Amino acid sequence: MRYALTALPPPDGLPFDDVIDVRSPAEYAEDHIPGAINLPALSDAERAEVGTVYVRQDRFLARKMGAAMVARNVAGHLEGALADRDGGWRPLVYCWRGGQRSGSFATILEQIGWRVEVLDGGYRSYRRLVVDRLYHRPLGARVVLIDGGTGSGKTQLLPHLARLGAQVIDLEGLAEHRGSNFGGWAGGQPSQKMFESRLAQAIGTLDPARPLFLEAESNAIGKVLLPPAIWSAMGTARVIRMEVPVAARARFLTTAYPDLTDDADRLRARIERLRPYHPRDRIEGWHEMARAGRFVDLAASLIADHYDPRYASPARTARQVTGTVALSGLTDADLARAAERVMAMLG
């Protein structure tokens, strides 16, 4: 049987016991339907081998090779990941476009007696829905931006707002990046497609009648780009600005970036990335502060000489500010009080 995906999957998932992505591990890692498990019909190496034979040698031979590989791999899944599934199990299977890989996999499951369905159009049908939601439709929510200089605790304010019942999307969390030259996470970022899948899923839970709080960002968070639905809404959003003294911001940054203060080589590399934008003596001064462990001084200098001048861009300063929240510190208690003030501003 074929299953047609006409809308993005709801937060609680599709109406199946399991959604099985039978594409190769590399395809799955780039992006997949939320909640899907990966049981590859072909490994990355097998897929490349079959594809090479198909293009360069003989299509019939490629299909024969592929069929043997799929049969062996499905047998392994039946004896492994699927060994505990009972007779009432009902899975949905998909590959790239709902073709041979998912069809072959589903046929074997069907012959066992399971009520299996194949996603019509495969992963591509899901991806089209994501693209439509993020690139061709307005966001449909009233956005409020939390703005402020680097180290103002904007990201950390979001969970405090959420605890008060506000709608928030942590864009940096979805992008796995803190949004600056020093902001990369140790594990790296998701692909653009994976980021968009996460974002589309988050948007799907929103109540359009209530405001949505986002941290003010540029159109790129590390290597991933904000799609038009978000970027356009941010351009016309109300803005609440956090104002925090440089000294407090510098102290806060040393606690927010422990992965850099604990790794001299990574910190050195991040400072070197700024060399094209600053005079040599300033770069060397930052290196000296890092070597001496003067991380608060380093953060303060980076704020004053690098981040704040870039923060004062015409596009950012032109935003209409609804309100300002002044903080003397950035403890959890400070941020909790700031969240209450933000909520009060919006009535």
Side-chain angles (χ1 to χ4, degrees):
M1 292 181 62
R2 290 271 168 173
Y3 178 81
L5 190 61
T6 58
L8 287 169
D12 57 352
L14 294 169
F16 295 90
D17 296 323
D18 284 298
V19 177
I20 302 175
D21 186 326
V22 304
R23 297 175 303 155
S24 70
E27 292 174 289
Y28 176 84
E30 182 183 28
D31 187 34
H32 53 266
I33 294 175
I37 61 175
N38 187 213
L39 299 179
L42 296 172
S43 69
D44 294 320
E46 289 169 340
R47 179 170 175 254
E49 182 182 357
V50 170
T52 299
V53 172
Y54 186 90
V55 171
R56 298 183 180 179
Q57 192 171 346
D58 182 86
R59 293 184 176 186
F60 176 79
L61 177 59
R63 291 192 183 97
K64 185 177 178 182
M65 288 172 54
M69 292 173 179
V70 169
R72 283 194 293 269
N73 291 331
V74 175
H77 299 319
L78 290 171
E79 294 170 347
L82 303 180
D84 62 348
R85 303 307 196 270
D86 61 24
W89 181 57
R90 182 169 172 255
L92 175 69
V93 175
Y94 73 89
C95 60
W96 171 247
R97 56 186 177 188
Q100 290 183 330
R101 284 183 288 175
S102 56
S104 300
F105 200 115
T107 296
I108 297 173
L109 300 187
E110 196 172 53
Q111 290 302 308
I112 293 170
W114 283 315
R115 296 174 298 155
V116 59
E117 296 188 40
V118 173
L119 179 61
D120 195 22
Y123 165 81
R124 292 197 306 177
S125 67
Y126 162 74
R127 177 62 187 165
R128 279 194 292 268
L129 293 171
V130 172
V131 170
D132 177 65
R133 184 65 191 85
L134 299 180
Y135 285 82
H136 305 309
R137 295 167 55 192
L139 180 61
R142 296 178 292 118
V143 171
V144 179
L145 291 182
I146 304 299
D147 204 354
T150 297
S152 297
K154 302 182 293 295
T155 302
Q156 290 72 19
L157 181 68
L158 296 180
H160 288 281
L161 290 169
R163 279 193 282 273
L164 295 177
Q167 291 190 129
V168 304
I169 293 180
D170 180 1
L171 295 173
E172 293 186 357
L174 298 182
E176 298 182 46
H177 195 282
R178 287 165 296 202
S180 71
N181 173 63
F182 291 82
W185 291 14
Q189 291 189 261
S191 69
Q192 180 72 29
K193 289 181 179 179
M194 178 67 77
F195 171 68
E196 290 175 359
S197 276
R198 295 173 178 179
L199 187 53
Q201 187 178 32
I203 290 172
T205 67
L206 297 178
D207 177 355
R210 298 168 54 213
L212 167 65
F213 290 90
L214 301 173
E215 179 179 348
E217 303 281 357
S218 67
N219 67 336
I221 306 175
K223 70 177 184 180
V224 301
L225 300 176
L226 295 180
I230 288 289
W231 186 239
S232 297
M234 291 171 72
T236 58
R238 300 170 68 180
V239 176
I240 294 178
R241 183 163 291 160
M242 299 178 70
E243 291 188 352
V244 186
V246 170
R249 291 159 59 192
R251 289 193 298 271
F252 176 75
L253 285 175
T254 63
T255 63
Y257 289 71
D259 52 318
L260 290 179
T261 56
D262 292 343
D263 189 332
D265 290 337
R266 286 188 70 203
L267 181 55
R268 186 182 307 110
R270 298 296 170 84
I271 293 173
E272 276 299 304
R273 289 184 187 177
L274 302 180
R275 192 173 287 278
Y277 311 105
H278 294 277
R280 179 179 176 181
D281 60 342
R282 182 175 293 161
I283 295 292
E284 296 309 320
W286 288 338
H287 279 308
E288 177 55 34
M289 292 177 195
R291 284 191 293 268
R294 295 165 49 207
F295 299 124
V296 174
D297 292 340
L298 172 61
S301 183
L302 285 165
I303 288 170
D305 295 321
H306 181 73
Y307 285 110
D308 277 3
R310 283 155 179 78
Y311 172 82
S313 66
R316 205 151 187 170
T317 55
R319 289 171 174 162
Q320 185 174 358
V321 178
T322 297
T324 299
V325 177
L327 298 172
S328 59
L330 290 167
T331 65
D332 264 358
D334 293 325
L335 291 167
R337 287 191 292 270
E340 292 174 353
R341 291 166 62 189
V342 168
M343 296 295 283
M345 286 179 187
L346 298 179

